[in-house]
Every structure is written in structure tokens, then in C-alpha cells.
Amino acid sequence: MSVDYKSKPKSKIGLDYLGLESNENVFWNLSPAELYEQAILRNEAILTKDHALRVLTGQYTGRSPKDKFIVEQSSIREEIDWGDINQPISEDVFENLFEKTVNYLKDKDLFVKDLFCGADEANRLNVRVVSEAAYHGLFSHNMFINPSREELEDHEPEFTVLAAPHLKADPEKDGTRTSTFILCNFEKKIILIGGTLYSGEVKKGIFSVMNYLLPKKGVMAMHCSANHDENGKTAVFFGLSGTGKTTLSADPEKTLIGDDEHGWSDEGVFNFEGGCYAKTINLSRENEPLIYATTQMPGTILENVVLDENREPDFDDVSLTQNTRCSYPLEFIPNASASGKGGHPENIIFLTCDAFGVLPPISKLSPDQAMYHFISGYTAKVAGTERGVTEPQATFSACFGAPFMPLHPTVYAELLAKKIRKHNANVWLVNTGWTGGAYGEGHRMKLAHTRKMLSEALAGNLENVEYSTDPIFGVQIPTSIEDVPSEVLIPRNTWKDKDAYDAKAKKLAEMFIENFKQFEDEASEELLSAAPKVTVNG
């Protein structure tokens, strides 16, 4: 091999706990340049025109949530919110697949990265990623926090990702759903991945672990972006895909703490990651200049992005997948925080793209309303090209990240509410969707108006303005904001047909109530009282 891996810094903990102590082909903690070399030599990747690394992940260009399981064990059985998301699987199935994976990897070249998840030293997790793919090593280097050489020597992995992307399970013999498997064993502290090269499984697997461990310590785990201003005032932005979470938090006048995963401890907010994993569909220099610039930097991974004959990325080409991505270190963003930390949030923003045109463009929530909307995690997807589909589709994802939350949503909601009350944080519901009518009749909220409303809220300029109460959703709506037309603030006033608005608002309220039924058994009376005030038909 061209790399002298024996001279690389390594932990005092070997691979014997995985049963891989006999493997002599182990590459320990290679640098990005060395991982570049290995990924290209192994035909895992090619260089773009600007020397970023382009990887094709094959059959799987996104996560495989139906192939993701948690090993059911007595120590966690009563804690996990079992269901379609947190699917149980037996210890016997895990042990069989673990043995199969270890036997498969015993004579393979392995790439090991010892890392941290969490910028807060008191709440970080020592992570080890072991994979047969050099590309996974570079991805892990980008996405997690890299220890110093001295820290590496004392690094003891607390959770290990063991990835064999080219090993396929036999569903009939191995007890899996398909040939792909993502298994999390909390007692053995191992995430086992097979049959998929998609690197998002590595990142989100550890995120799910953090979301299990941190609430036990009183630390809130959040699927959100975060920034702070020059005075250190921190804001966090929750939101599902398409709501503007990345766009609105990426303010060049503020310091970016992180764009996806954070914790909120007694000391403040901290980033889990050391990098970003951004979507690149329709990415352009004009609309997202900071992210676009990273795609031209050596060290960035472009995942499933189509290249032209000159190896120039074509971000508008979605022939491989709409889930094209780029992974890069946070330091590639000029205004990124060096520490990955911020103070206690003074403002918390829930972003929703309401295609029904019902929710106000900005409104203030009480702590109970914050819990209710946090658990609901609402946005709306616009109807596609399917014939006969004319209505937008409501989408609810608990905690704005249900696929990564092992505990019951009320655990996270109650912890969030506790911190909101303790630190007197303002909570805002911001609708980046439609106004003046539903999708197809009204129009999308002007970005300039949304930015102005957010800017005024974050600056504290909405503290002393007049508010009105929405009669159905009960949220507080400011009646005037500088440079924003007053009629925009009250959604009913933007509709020509007021009766049509009332009917649509009632319909959306019923959707909220119907969705929340699944949480009622665990919800307090105060939380239930924050529901929209409407009677569901039938």
C-alpha cells in the first residue's frame, strides 16, 4: 500500500472488542488527503473539475428507514417508543448478522476513524467508525469533530459504527426485511450497517444515539440549525425539509453554529457535528453562495451529483436522485463558529411551509403551545403531478425529526418546555408557505417579508407591539411590523373569500387534532389545552 498506516495516530483501544484483532489491513485515522487517495485508488470516487470528490452510492441514494431496527433488550424495552419508526429486532438476529459481518470483514481493508460527536466536552460522545469504504472515512472526518493527536491516544470508543456496505443479508436466513440492514444495539454500543453505501446512515445513526442518551442527562437533543449574533444572542431553527431552515439560519451577518443537529445543556447550545451535509438539488451560486463555494473545494464530497463531460457538477440534473448532497467541514463556511457553541437561546423558531395558506406568517407561542407544535412537527407538501390530486398534503413529523427520536415525543417536548421556561426563551411559529389563499390560488410568502419579520423578532422589537389572538389556533399574532404590510400579518385578511379561509382553517385544525390523538395518552391536560379550538366531525 502507498500509505504507511502503521505510523498514523491511533487509540490504545484496538479492534479486538469487535473480533477483528487478527485483521492486519487496518488504516487508522488517515488524513483527508490520504483518504482521497484511497477512495480514488479503490474506484470509489473520482475528482471533479475543482478537485472535490464525487461518489456514487449505487442502489441506495438515501436512508433506508424500513431497514433500520433497534435491538430489543430488557434494559431499554420500557424506554423506546416502539412502532413503525423504532422497529424492534431480536438479539439473535443481531448476533447472527454481527458474526456474519465480522467474518466478512476479517480479510478486508478497513478504515477506522476515532472522533467526537458533540462540541461540548461534558456531553460529547466518543465515536468510532469502522468501514470497508475509504469514502466513509472521509465522510466521517468531515461530519464529526476530529480529536487532536494527544486526544486520539486516550480515545476510548463509546459507540462504534461497523459498516460493511458491500455485504448483503439473506432475508430468509438472516431475519431482515431486505438485503440491507441498519441495526442499533444499545447494550453492545454498536451500530451495524450492511448492504448500503449511503453515508447518511452513519451520521443519522449516531444522531439517534445522542437523542437517546442526552435526555437522560437533562440535555435537550434537537434536529435544528443554530446561529448567534454579534452580541452572542442565540437562535435555533426547527423545520422539516423545504421550510427554509438552512436558508434562514445561514445569515451572513450572524455566526453559524451548525445547520442540523444540536444539544441544549445547562451551559447553552452546542453543535453535534464538525461539518455540514447539505442538499444540492438546484444549488446555484446566486441563491446559496456559501454552500455553492464549498462544492469547489478539495475536501468536499459530492454524493450522487451528475458531472458533465468536463467534470463540472450539474446540480439541476436529478437523473440519479433528487437527494444529491455535499459533505464538507464546517470551517469551509466563512462565518462558522470555531467553537461550535452558543449561549442559551433567546429565540426558538418553528418553521412550517403551510400550503393551505392558513397559519400566520409569524406568531408567538406559549410554552404549552410550543410543546404542542413541537410534537406535531407540521408542514405541508404541495400536490405533485399525479392526476386528480389538487390539495396539498399535510405532513407531521414529531419533534421535527421523528425518524431519529428513539424516545416518546413527549420526553423531548417536556424537556424543551422546561428549558424554555427556565431561560425565558421566546418561541415563534413562522409560516414560509402560502398567503392570500391555498396553493394554486394564493402565493408564496415573500422571502423579504419573512426575513424582516424574523429580524425584528430576533432583535427584540416585537416585545411591546400589540398582538391579536388567532381564534382557532390560539397563537399570538403581532398586528404591526415595520416594512411589512399589516394585512399580511393576519392570514384571514389576505383571502378574498373569508368563508373559504374559515373552512380551510377548520380543516387544518382537524388534521392537527387527528394527528395528535396518537400522543394523547402521554400528554398532560395543559398540553392538550394547547390544541386548536375546533370540533372534529364524526
Side-chain angles (χ1 to χ4, degrees):
M1 291 295 179
S2 61
V3 178
D4 181 13
Y5 60 87
K6 292 183 179 178
S7 67
K8 303 305 292 184
K10 55 188 285 189
S11 163
K12 59 187 176 184
I13 306 298
L15 297 181
D16 51 319
Y17 69 102
L18 297 173
L20 291 168
E21 66 275 10
S22 63
N23 191 322
E24 297 181 355
N25 305 314
V26 181
F27 295 75
W28 288 93
N29 297 304
L30 300 190
S31 68
E34 292 163 328
L35 289 165
Y36 247 58
E37 290 176 350
Q38 291 299 318
I40 293 170
L41 285 171
R42 295 162 193 275
N43 296 317
E44 296 176 4
I46 61 173
L47 290 178
T48 69
K49 179 178 71 69
D50 297 301
H51 306 130
L53 204 67
R54 197 287 298 270
V55 173
L56 300 180
T57 61
Q59 178 183 358
Y60 295 100
T61 57
R63 292 183 301 102
S64 303
K66 293 183 178 180
D67 296 311
K68 178 185 171 185
F69 298 87
I70 296 175
V71 179
E72 187 174 10
Q73 295 159 319
S74 58
S75 59
I76 64 167
R77 186 172 293 122
E78 301 303 317
E79 297 176 305
I80 302 298
D81 183 32
W82 302 108
D84 292 340
I85 292 173
N86 297 309
Q87 303 176 102
I89 204 163
S90 72
E91 289 188 85
D92 288 342
V93 170
F94 176 86
E95 292 298 338
N96 171 63
L97 278 169
F98 179 71
E99 182 179 358
K100 186 172 186 174
T101 302
V102 169
N103 287 334
Y104 169 81
L105 292 175
K106 275 183 176 177
D107 60 354
K108 299 290 189 296
D109 288 349
L110 297 178
F111 295 86
V112 180
K113 289 294 289 187
D114 288 318
L115 307 148
F116 298 130
C117 181
D120 180 0
E121 292 82 0
N123 292 296
R124 69 189 183 189
L125 184 72
N126 290 7
V127 174
R128 171 172 287 177
V129 178
V130 182
S131 178
E132 62 176 318
Y135 142 66
H136 280 168
L138 182 62
F139 177 83
S140 301
H141 180 96
N142 284 353
M143 298 312 303
F144 295 106
I145 296 171
N146 289 275
S148 66
R149 191 179 187 101
E150 293 73 24
E151 287 174 326
L152 271 177
E153 293 174 357
D154 294 326
H155 189 285
E156 296 186 18
E158 297 173 277
F159 232 94
T160 299
V161 177
L162 184 61
H166 303 300
L167 171 65
K168 296 185 181 298
D170 183 334
E172 289 188 11
K173 294 181 180 178
D174 297 325
T176 56
R177 191 185 72 91
T178 67
S179 60
T180 297
F181 54 94
I182 305 101
L183 311 181
C184 181
N185 189 318
F186 278 104
E187 289 187 359
K188 288 203 167 185
K189 299 180 179 179
I190 291 172
I191 296 173
L192 195 63
I193 299 175
T196 174
L197 188 60
Y198 182 66
S199 59
E201 301 289 8
V202 174
K203 164 186 153 77
K204 289 302 186 184
I206 292 296
F207 182 35
S208 297
V209 169
M210 294 290 278
N211 290 343
Y212 172 78
L213 296 174
L214 289 184
K216 294 172 172 292
K217 302 170 64 176
V219 178
M220 179 65 191
M222 305 181 292
H223 187 210
C224 70
S225 58
N227 65 23
H228 67 75
D229 65 15
E230 59 184 4
N231 298 314
K233 290 185 177 181
T234 299
V236 298
F237 300 78
F238 291 90
L240 299 173
S241 179
T243 59
K245 181 177 65 171
T246 300
T247 299
L248 293 171
S249 65
D251 186 336
E253 296 183 0
K254 293 184 172 62
T255 298
L256 179 67
I257 300 171
D259 80 329
D260 197 34
E261 301 168 3
H262 293 81
W264 185 357
S265 71
D266 290 339
E267 305 302 318
V269 168
F270 62 96
N271 193 359
F272 286 175
E273 302 180 302
C276 298
Y277 192 38
K279 290 184 178 180
T280 59
I281 182 172
N282 301 324
L283 181 67
S284 69
R285 191 192 308 270
E286 295 71 29
N287 294 332
E288 297 284 352
L290 297 182
I291 296 176
Y292 185 87
T294 69
T295 66
Q296 300 178 304
M297 297 181 183
T300 293
I301 302 170
L302 298 183
E303 224 173 47
N304 299 310
V305 173
V306 173
L307 305 181
D308 67 16
E309 64 275 11
N310 297 315
R311 297 200 183 182
E312 180 82 37
D314 183 351
F315 297 117
D316 296 324
D317 189 331
V318 294
S319 57
L320 295 175
T321 177
Q322 292 201 7
N323 189 38
T324 54
R325 297 267 183 171
C326 63
S327 163
Y328 52 89
L330 197 63
E331 64 201 45
F332 282 12
I333 300 293
N335 61 328
S337 168
S339 68
K341 300 175 187 177
H344 295 292
E346 295 193 16
N347 291 281
I348 296 169
I349 298 95
F350 296 160
L351 298 169
T352 181
C353 177
D354 177 24
F356 294 95
V358 165
L359 294 178
I362 189 167
S363 55
K364 197 170 185 179
L365 307 183
S366 70
D368 289 328
Q369 289 171 335
M371 288 176 66
Y372 187 90
H373 282 273
F374 182 70
I375 291 175
S376 298
Y378 164 72
T379 193
K381 294 182 179 179
V382 174
T385 56
E386 185 178 345
R387 286 186 300 171
V389 177
T390 58
E391 291 284 338
Q393 298 177 348
T395 300
F396 296 91
S397 181
C399 309
F400 296 99
F404 322 116
M405 305 295 173
L407 306 177
H408 194 277
T410 54
V411 173
Y412 304 101
E414 288 169 1
L415 186 53
L416 179 63
K418 180 180 177 181
K419 290 187 176 294
I420 288 170
R421 290 189 174 97
K422 181 177 180 180
H423 300 287
N424 297 313
N426 295 313
V427 185
W428 307 91
L429 180 65
V430 173
N431 173 20
T432 61
W434 269 254
T435 184
Y439 170 78
E441 298 174 3
H443 56 85
R444 191 80 187 257
M445 204 74 65
K446 290 183 179 179
L447 181 58
H449 287 164
T450 300
R451 287 191 185 279
K452 180 60 178 177
M453 289 184 281
L454 264 177
S455 176
E456 292 293 296
L458 298 183
N461 296 335
L462 301 186
E463 292 295 322
N464 299 313
V465 302
E466 275 190 40
Y467 284 82
S468 65
T469 302
D470 186 279
I472 292 180
F473 291 91
V475 297
Q476 299 296 301
I477 307 171
T479 57
S480 64
I481 296 178
E482 185 181 355
D483 296 332
V484 179
S486 58
E487 63 271 16
V488 171
L489 299 174
I490 309 296
R492 192 173 189 270
N493 293 345
T494 67
W495 286 54
K496 292 180 180 178
D497 187 339
K498 309 302 184 192
D499 290 339
Y501 171 85
D502 292 340
K504 195 70 75 174
K506 181 175 182 289
K507 180 177 179 179
L508 180 59
E510 291 175 350
M511 290 179 182
F512 267 89
I513 294 170
E514 183 64 31
N515 172 72
F516 208 83
K517 285 181 178 179
Q518 62 185 304
F519 308 119
E520 287 180 349
D521 290 345
E522 301 286 337
S524 66
E525 288 299 321
E526 292 80 10
L527 180 52
L528 292 174
S529 71
K533 301 300 185 287
V534 65
T535 303
V536 178
N537 295 330

